[in-house]
Amino acid sequence: MVVYLVGAGPGDADLITLKAIKALNKADVVLYDYLANDEILEHAPKDAKKIYVGKKAGEHYKTQDQINKLIVEQAKENDTVVRLKGGDPFVFGRGGEEILALMENDIKFEVIPGVTSAIGAPTSLGLPVTHRAIATSVTLVTGHEDPTKKESQVKWDYTADTLVILMGIGNIKENTSEIMKYRSGDTPVCVIESGTLPDENVIFGTLENIADKEINTPAILIIGDVVSLYKDIYNY
């Protein structure tokens, strides 16, 4: 028995890797997330069992502990299990937690990387999160930490030229207010809704006013001068 932790990519079904498709081709069971494009499931055999274990803001179909237990149970009952996760399994994807559960049960696993939306969504638009003239560093940040933590690890005083925030729409007002303690309210910001998908939408603003915009999830925030550069490209 083996479990493949597979990154499904940023949204567009064509952006999954060839190695991920090969794993899906031989799957007996696929446990898939909310952010994993349903079209990707077509790469699994027709008789493969497909189990939805998605989580989205304010709507958890299963807890992480339940998902861990389910992966272990399916691995013990089947030869090949694919755990299909949106983006990359290790970029705010809880893949590390799932691997620990597999290790505790002596279950063989392999991780297949995926393109994280933090990079894939802006890149697909022509927005460079780094640029040698204006942005030589980028930091990826979660906008929604584990609520059971006694103290936040996110301090918002990051010195990277570009900040990319995932899962931050629900707390956008609080997060941007904290960031403005360290950066000007005029700092350019853009939000990419449903990155790489047909209903993709880009919203421009600043740290001071982006929280007042109407924003739909899933979405990521990009903060920094690269946004101004992209606006020039966007209007070219």
Side-chain angles (χ1 to χ4, degrees):
M1 58 184 172
V2 60
V3 174
Y4 292 95
L5 276 79
V6 175
D12 185 341
D14 289 341
L15 295 177
I16 193 169
T17 66
L18 180 57
K19 189 168 186 178
I21 290 174
K22 289 179 178 178
L24 282 162
N25 286 166
K26 56 187 179 183
D28 298 308
V29 182
V30 181
L31 296 94
Y32 65 102
D33 275 351
Y34 161 65
L35 290 176
N37 193 318
D38 285 352
E39 292 179 26
I40 294 172
L41 296 176
E42 295 176 8
H43 294 293
K46 289 185 178 180
D47 59 349
K49 186 190 304 182
K50 300 172 182 70
I51 304 173
Y52 176 68
V53 292
K55 296 193 294 292
K56 58 190 291 189
E59 185 181 322
H60 284 197
Y61 186 74
K62 289 185 181 297
T63 67
Q64 189 59 51
D65 285 343
Q66 289 174 325
I67 292 172
N68 294 350
K69 183 179 179 181
L70 185 58
I71 296 171
V72 170
E73 289 174 350
Q74 292 300 319
K76 290 179 177 179
E77 296 173 4
N78 298 276
D79 291 331
T80 306
V81 175
V82 169
R83 173 68 174 104
L84 187 64
K85 304 173 72 65
D88 180 272
F90 285 174
V91 181
F92 306 125
R94 303 191 186 181
E97 297 174 47
E98 293 172 0
I99 278 180
L100 289 174
L102 295 171
M103 291 173 64
E104 289 172 1
N105 288 273
D106 295 320
I107 295 171
K108 183 181 177 182
F109 64 87
E110 180 179 344
V111 182
I112 299 177
V115 179
T116 172
S117 62
I119 306 300
T123 296
S124 70
L125 290 172
L127 194 167
V129 294
T130 63
H131 186 284
R132 66 177 183 167
I134 59 175
T136 58
S137 56
V138 58
T139 293
L140 309 184
V141 190
T142 177
H144 182 78
E145 286 188 271
D146 183 347
T148 64
K149 285 183 179 178
K150 293 182 179 179
E151 183 179 352
S152 172
Q153 289 178 257
V154 178
K155 305 303 181 186
W156 299 116
D157 57 347
Y158 302 106
T159 57
D161 297 313
T162 306
L163 288 184
V164 182
I165 304 175
L166 287 78
M167 302 177 293
I169 301 306
N171 299 323
I172 188 170
K173 191 172 187 62
E174 296 83 354
N175 292 344
T176 52
S177 294
E178 286 297 312
I179 296 170
M180 280 191 285
K181 294 178 181 178
Y182 308 98
R183 300 187 186 219
S184 168
D186 293 332
T187 302
V189 179
C190 81
V191 173
I192 303 175
E193 299 176 342
S194 300
T196 76
L197 294 172
D199 58 343
E200 180 178 69
N201 185 41
V202 182
I203 301 167
F204 294 107
T206 64
L207 275 176
E208 191 170 32
N209 66 27
I210 195 67
D212 298 326
K213 311 281 185 176
E214 183 177 345
I215 300 172
N216 299 305
T217 58
I220 66 171
L221 283 79
I222 301 171
I223 301 168
D225 289 338
V226 292
V227 174
S228 294
L229 175 65
Y230 172 65
K231 288 179 75 173
D232 292 338
I233 298 171
Y234 186 77
N235 294 316
Y236 179 69

